[in-house]
Amino acid sequence: MGFLNLFSKTKYSRLVHLPSGSFTLDRNGRVISSTLPTFFPTGHINQIAQQVLATFNAAQNAQMPLSEIIVSYAALRILARELRGGAIVYLMPQALNQPLRPALN
């Protein structure tokens, strides 16, 4: 029975990979440059940018030196570094080139 399963078609034809790349922000939250793939939603970039800059601004207002933020999720790691009011943000899959989940046709 297991031998026949090798030849059966699966409903998954391709795998979805998490993007990896970086983007830089100015102090107003505008994206200056990006190495993320074009299919990565700009809404997600804007949400990440707002949270990163808000965190750095809150730390500055509290007079706590903060130069780097690292957020680790199960499948994605976000690293942000402060750059004189702006920031550079890196998005990295936890395991490079490993599929997150199969995609449906």
Side-chain angles (χ1 to χ4, degrees):
M1 293 297 264
F3 181 75
L4 295 176
N5 290 338
L6 291 175
F7 299 107
S8 67
K9 288 187 177 180
T10 62
K11 59 183 175 181
Y12 306 116
S13 65
R14 60 190 169 103
L15 297 175
V16 176
H17 294 273
L18 285 173
S20 63
S22 63
F23 59 95
T24 55
L25 306 167
D26 66 3
R27 64 181 64 246
N28 298 320
R30 291 185 302 244
V31 176
I32 298 171
S33 66
S34 174
T35 63
L36 290 169
T38 56
F39 64 83
F40 192 76
T42 55
H44 293 341
I45 294 173
N46 293 334
Q47 288 179 346
I48 293 169
Q50 288 175 350
Q51 292 300 315
V52 165
L53 291 180
T55 303
F56 284 134
N57 287 336
Q60 183 179 15
N61 291 340
Q63 298 179 350
M64 295 177 58
L66 180 65
S67 61
E68 185 175 82
I69 303 168
I70 300 172
V71 180
S72 294
Y73 294 104
L76 184 68
R77 183 176 180 191
I78 300 174
L79 184 139
R81 292 193 176 132
E82 198 269 335
L83 300 173
R84 295 186 183 180
I88 184 165
V89 181
Y90 300 95
L91 301 178
M92 301 165 284
Q94 288 288 9
L96 289 175
N97 299 324
Q98 295 296 319
L100 171 62
R101 62 178 173 81
L104 299 175
N105 283 343

